[in-house]
Amino acid sequence: NFKLSSAGEEVALVHADGRTVADHVRFGELLADTSYARLPNGSETWRPLVVPTPGRDNVDLYRGLVEDVTFSHPRGFYAEPFSVALSCATDGAMIYYTLDGSSPYDAKTGLVSGKAYTGPLAISTTTCVRAVAFKMMWAPSQVQTHTYLFIQDILLQPKDPSGFPTAWAGAAADYEMDPDITRSTTYGPLMGPALLSLPSLSVAMNTADLFGPNGIYANPTRR
């Protein structure tokens, strides 16, 4: 009659007196469709398992969980180009990344679509970096996302950026900010500080999941 969060929490088994703790475990973030169990059964060693085994012996399919990828630069707004380095604390892990907002790894299919990371990435324009780390016989890390925003890119965004639908519901799509405002000698200089004064939220996903026939934009009321 209760649930445990995949984001991690603590669960305890308590005796009938309501005070004496028989056993307890605190676990961190778990991947979808994995469990966290003692291995071997009843030992003090806990590991993520790719196959839940209620009522049966725990099976060692993963030797551990790969740590999340860390970024040398925090997400946010930037005015000058820089290079971002990716790293993983798990020894021997390989990092894969994308720069177009798509996920570098599909947990449902187990397929990797990202590029292998070999060195720092040059960031000179608005870029969404998504990364995941793998190690043989280990559960992969969670996909981590950092979006780096350059104000001038936002102000001068074209009306037809590559990879996005050029028309919607019979009308031409237009993604740019109003050039009469952004290029105005009166209001243009105020746009950068105005954008920085507002809370910002970056939504990163595959373009089809947003604009495709089954995407959010086409089905705003679907649950």
Side-chain angles (χ1 to χ4, degrees):
N1 63 349
F2 68 94
K3 296 180 180 180
L4 298 175
S5 172
S6 63
E9 57 181 300
E10 186 173 9
V11 61
L13 180 64
V14 182
H15 285 288
D17 61 12
R19 297 187 302 274
T20 306
V21 177
D23 201 358
H24 81 284
V25 62
R26 178 178 297 164
F27 61 94
E29 188 173 17
L30 296 176
L31 294 173
D33 301 322
T34 61
S35 64
Y36 195 60
R38 282 189 165 112
L39 197 74
N41 293 341
S43 72
E44 293 302 315
T45 301
W46 290 82
R47 292 182 181 176
L49 303 181
V50 68
V51 178
T53 56
R56 295 180 285 123
D57 287 340
N58 295 326
V59 180
D60 184 13
L61 294 180
Y62 283 154
R63 295 177 181 172
L65 180 63
V66 177
E67 294 287 341
D68 287 338
V69 176
T70 57
F71 296 66
S72 62
H73 288 63
R75 55 178 65 84
F77 291 96
Y78 288 83
E80 300 294 334
F82 62 95
S83 293
V84 60
L86 308 180
S87 60
C88 178
T90 302
D91 186 46
M94 290 289 295
I95 298 173
Y96 293 85
Y97 71 94
T98 60
L99 301 177
D100 61 358
S102 64
S103 176
Y105 171 64
D106 188 332
K108 292 182 179 180
T109 64
L111 297 177
V112 178
S113 58
K115 297 179 180 179
Y117 174 76
T118 58
L121 308 174
I123 306 296
S124 60
T125 185
T126 294
T127 306
C128 177
V129 183
R130 307 190 72 185
V132 63
F134 293 90
K135 183 176 181 178
M136 187 69 69
M137 299 300 296
W138 286 53
S141 72
Q142 297 281 1
V143 174
Q144 297 296 311
T145 303
H146 274 44
T147 302
Y148 302 107
L149 301 166
F150 289 74
I151 287 293
Q152 286 304 309
D153 291 343
I154 299 172
L155 297 177
L156 301 178
Q157 179 173 294
K159 65 179 181 180
D160 53 354
S162 176
F164 288 84
T166 57
W168 189 261
D174 186 351
Y175 298 90
E176 73 176 337
M177 298 188 71
D178 190 338
D180 290 338
I181 296 177
T182 59
R183 297 173 185 175
S184 165
T185 56
T186 301
Y187 301 108
L190 303 177
M191 292 301 298
L195 290 176
L196 290 173
S197 71
L198 298 171
S200 299
L201 174 66
S202 174
V203 179
M205 63 175 66
N206 295 331
T207 304
D209 291 337
L210 182 60
F211 292 112
N214 294 315
I216 297 173
Y217 196 83
N219 305 277
T221 61
R222 181 185 295 176
R223 294 183 178 180

